[in-house]
């Protein structure tokens, strides 16, 4: 039987194993979630808000403990793990402050004496979440979903069960009705069967495009609401007038955060030919400052990749692209679960490091002559999650936004998720939106009310 296993990718020590739940137990959890949701929907919004405010307090009070769990399970360096917990607390603050506004009835002028839209919970929402941000990606889904009056069943990543159990205990301790939030340690096959259950009202998945397609097929047949946040291959476009030192620093952050294991990381660096070699020189210096090592050790800036298969795939993409003519600027060395920060130059659209999502510390760099060519290269991807435009003429860059086939465009900044801003993609990056007001309304019934006296 496949297990949920907590294995430290740095030390290779297994700290815990958990068996898969069989279908009868999963159905029991689903029944409990239905009962919990009925109670939650009857709980006044002020009480739900108070619970989320308590959640924010607990996150901050135990930040170091929770961050250590993240680092030990998936290899994130400790400062970044602490920042992940802080971001979860910020998200709780944001929704606690704004959820009443987001869920308030919307008055609509019509020929009625009174017409408005009101927002009601859907029921039990199934979350399927990944390992690379094991707290943040759960919280950005679960917090607004629960505040809207839904209960949550959460299938976590099999390599982060301790993080999942910690989150479940947190939600159980803040005064919400029992079973408002539950983990399920389930196989992919059994999750597919759960999706088809009438009690599941919606599904939110963050993961690979392949996983999203499989879930969308099952959910679509059952006519279930979905939010899919899938992969990305973000472009980072550097204009000729960019400050190259600042651009290189920002590019290194955008590529190497979380050892490059992020859907919104910059992956394809598209650089104006006039500054191409100078940028490569500056980026090489930045990459070589990133020290790899123990994620808990002070000074470490790159931890191990979370699993050996991730390193295997990165090594395959690197090797194949080198064989197709890419030029190695720095890095390219694998040691167990570690892969040194790597820059490949002279990349073309046929290479794996351009065509595929690269989930690791590797930057694919190419040049462009005209703005039209840069836009074409950026859009030449199956993904459409986000991109960055870097240059001094911000007004000119703003005019390019309509041409970019992306869910987000960040000008002179790396692409990042922010509780205040809608988040999501197009094409193979998925559909639906998380965060901001849009995230709060992802799993509600927008009910139209029309009254004539």
């Amino acid at each position: 039987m496949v297990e949920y296993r907590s294995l430290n990718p740095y030390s290779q020590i297994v700290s815990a194993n958990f068996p898969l739940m069989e279908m009868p137990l999963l159905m029991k959890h689903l029944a409990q979630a239905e009962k919990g949701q009925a109670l939650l929907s009857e709980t006044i919004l002020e009480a739900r808000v108070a619970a989320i405010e308590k959640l924010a307090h607990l996150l901050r009070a135990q930040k170091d403990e929770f961050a250590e769990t993240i680092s030990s399970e998936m290899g994130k360096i400790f400062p970044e793990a602490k920042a992940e917990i802080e971001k979860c607390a910020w998200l709780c603050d944001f929704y606690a402050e704004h959820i009443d506004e987001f869920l308030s009835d919307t008055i609509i002028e019509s020929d009625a004496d009174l017409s408005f839209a009101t927002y009601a919970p859907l029921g039990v929402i199934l979350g399927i979440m990944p390992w690379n941000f094991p707290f943040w990606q759960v919280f950005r889904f679960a917090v607004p979903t629960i505040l809207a009056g839904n209960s949550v069943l959460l299938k976590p990543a099999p390599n982060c069960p301790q993080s999942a159990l910690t989150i479940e205990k947190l939600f159980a301790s803040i005064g919400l009705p029992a079973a408002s939030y539950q983990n399920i340690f389930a196989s992919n096959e059994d999750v597919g069967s759960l999706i088809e259950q009438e009690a599941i009202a919606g599904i939110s998945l963050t993961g690979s495009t392949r996983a999203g397609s499989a879930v969308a097929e099952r959910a679509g047949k059952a006519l279930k609401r979905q939010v899919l946040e899938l992969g990305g291959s973000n472009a980072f476009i550097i204009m000729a007038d960019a400050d190259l030192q600042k651009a290189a620093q920002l590019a290194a952050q955008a590529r190497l955060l979380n050892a490059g294991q992020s859907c919104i990381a910059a992956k394809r660096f598209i650089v104006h030919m006039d500054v191409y070699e100078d940028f490569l020189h500056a980026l090489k210096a930045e990459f070589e400052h990133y020290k790899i090592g123990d994620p808990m050790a002070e000074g470490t800036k790159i931890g191990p990749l979370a699993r050996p298969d991730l390193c295997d795939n990165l090594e395959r993409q690197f090797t194949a692209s080198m064989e197709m003519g890419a030029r190695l600027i720095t890095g390219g060395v694998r040691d167990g679960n570690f892969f040194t920060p790597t820059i490949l130059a002279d990349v073309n659209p046929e290479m794996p490091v351009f065509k595929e999502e690269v989930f690791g510390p590797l930057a694919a760099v190419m040049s462009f002559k005209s703005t039209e060519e840069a836009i074409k290269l950026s859009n030449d991807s199956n993904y459409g999650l986000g991109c960055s435009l870097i240059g001094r003429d911000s007004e000119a860059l703003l005019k390019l936004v309509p041409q970019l086939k992306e869910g987000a465009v960040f000008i002179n900044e790396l692409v990042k998720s922010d509780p205040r801003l809608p988040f999501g993609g197009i094409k193979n990056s998925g559909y639906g939106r998380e965060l901001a007001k849009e995230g709060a309304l992802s799993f509600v019934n927008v009910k139209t009310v029309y009254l004539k006296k």
Side-chain angles (χ1 to χ4, degrees):
M1 179 181 289
V2 177
E3 294 178 314
Y4 277 59
R5 172 176 293 184
S6 183
L7 185 155
N8 187 312
Y10 176 72
S11 68
Q12 297 297 300
I13 294 173
V14 176
S15 59
N17 291 297
F18 302 91
L20 288 176
M21 295 176 177
E22 301 288 353
M23 201 64 196
L25 181 55
L26 295 175
M27 292 302 294
K28 181 179 178 180
H29 278 290
L30 179 55
Q32 291 170 340
E34 282 190 279
K35 293 177 182 177
Q37 193 278 321
L39 293 172
L40 188 63
S41 66
E42 295 171 358
T43 303
I44 61 172
L45 182 58
E46 289 80 359
R48 285 178 248 155
V49 167
I52 296 304
E53 288 173 337
K54 183 176 180 182
L55 186 57
H57 171 76
L58 291 173
L59 286 166
R60 292 187 172 102
Q62 301 176 72
K63 175 176 63 179
D64 286 5
E65 175 189 342
F66 300 154
E68 187 170 351
T69 300
I70 292 172
S71 296
S72 67
E73 285 200 306
M74 53 73 60
K76 192 189 303 284
I77 63 170
F78 190 56
E80 289 181 2
K82 287 196 291 184
E84 181 173 341
I85 301 300
E86 291 166 354
K87 192 170 184 177
C88 292
W90 175 30
L91 176 132
C92 292
D93 293 340
F94 172 79
Y95 277 114
E97 180 180 353
H98 293 285
I99 195 66
D100 182 59
E101 167 197 344
F102 294 159
L103 297 179
S104 292
D105 294 347
T106 302
I107 302 300
I108 303 169
E109 294 295 328
S110 74
D111 62 345
D113 294 298
L114 174 66
S115 53
F116 60 94
T118 189
Y119 306 98
L122 290 181
V124 181
I125 310 300
L126 174 64
I128 304 169
M129 295 293 132
W131 50 265
N132 54 334
F133 291 88
F135 272 67
W136 168 246
Q137 285 164 324
V138 170
F139 272 75
R140 76 181 187 192
F141 152 66
V143 167
T145 300
I146 287 172
L147 281 170
N150 303 290
S151 63
V152 166
L153 276 183
L154 198 289
K155 178 194 179 294
N159 60 325
C160 293
Q162 302 276 39
S163 295
L165 290 171
T166 299
I167 294 169
E168 185 179 52
K169 289 176 183 176
L170 280 169
F171 275 98
S173 71
I174 58 176
L176 294 170
S180 296
Y181 179 103
Q182 299 175 89
N183 287 329
I184 52 170
F185 290 174
S187 68
N188 292 336
E189 293 76 14
D190 285 345
V191 166
S193 297
L194 270 182
I195 288 171
E196 296 171 354
Q197 298 298 315
E198 185 178 353
I200 296 292
I203 302 97
S204 179
L205 177 141
T206 298
S208 68
T209 299
R210 183 182 63 168
S213 179
V215 165
E217 182 177 6
R218 300 292 285 266
K221 286 181 179 179
L223 298 178
K224 301 293 177 73
R225 182 85 58 88
Q226 307 158 53
V227 172
L228 302 180
E229 198 280 282
L230 308 178
S233 187
N234 289 8
F236 193 97
I237 302 173
I238 300 169
M239 299 299 182
D241 66 346
D243 181 320
L244 292 187
Q245 190 56 50
K246 289 182 179 178
Q249 291 173 353
L250 190 63
Q253 294 170 26
R255 174 65 280 201
L256 300 180
L257 180 72
N258 201 29
Q261 300 169 118
S262 173
C263 58
I264 56 172
K267 300 182 174 83
R268 298 175 299 136
F269 295 83
I270 302 170
V271 186
H272 194 279
M273 60 181 298
D274 289 350
V275 295
Y276 183 64
E277 291 298 336
D278 288 341
F279 174 75
L280 284 170
H281 180 77
L283 188 64
K284 178 177 184 289
E286 292 294 329
F287 268 44
E288 290 176 352
H289 284 151
Y290 277 71
K291 177 186 175 184
I292 65 173
D294 181 351
M296 293 300 297
E298 187 175 351
T300 298
K301 296 191 73 175
I302 292 276
L305 271 66
R307 301 191 311 261
D309 62 295
L310 298 166
C311 242
D312 292 342
N313 193 50
L314 180 61
E315 190 172 32
R316 174 192 62 79
Q317 293 169 320
F318 166 78
T319 301
S321 298
M322 285 286 290
E323 290 172 352
M324 294 173 70
R327 172 165 55 109
L328 179 63
I329 302 300
T330 189
V333 178
R334 178 183 180 178
D335 182 8
N337 282 357
F338 286 98
F339 205 96
T340 54
T342 300
I343 301 170
L344 288 181
D346 306 342
V347 167
N348 68 56
E350 299 306 312
M351 295 178 182
V353 293
F354 184 100
K355 293 174 66 174
E356 302 173 13
E357 181 174 26
V358 179
F359 227 61
L362 187 154
V365 189
M366 64 219 73
S367 64
F368 69 90
K369 294 180 181 179
S370 67
T371 301
E372 291 74 20
E373 183 185 6
I375 298 296
K376 183 179 179 181
L377 284 168
S378 179
N379 288 337
D380 186 13
S381 172
N382 292 326
Y383 298 101
L385 191 54
C387 74
S388 293
L389 300 175
I390 310 299
R392 286 189 168 92
D393 190 347
S394 57
E395 292 301 317
L397 296 178
L398 196 58
K399 291 177 182 177
L400 301 178
V401 170
Q403 301 176 52
L404 293 160
K405 298 175 182 179
E406 306 288 349
V409 178
F410 279 60
I411 297 174
N412 291 319
E413 181 58 285
L414 54 84
V415 176
K416 55 188 177 182
S417 55
D418 180 320
R420 301 165 295 188
L421 304 175
F423 180 85
I426 60 172
K427 299 192 284 188
N428 283 0
S429 292
Y431 46 75
R433 290 296 181 267
E434 294 184 301
L435 302 176
K437 181 176 182 177
E438 289 78 1
L441 302 182
S442 288
F443 295 106
V444 299
N445 173 25
V446 183
K447 186 182 297 184
T448 299
V449 180
Y450 179 104
L451 180 149
K452 275 198 172 181
K453 296 178 181 177

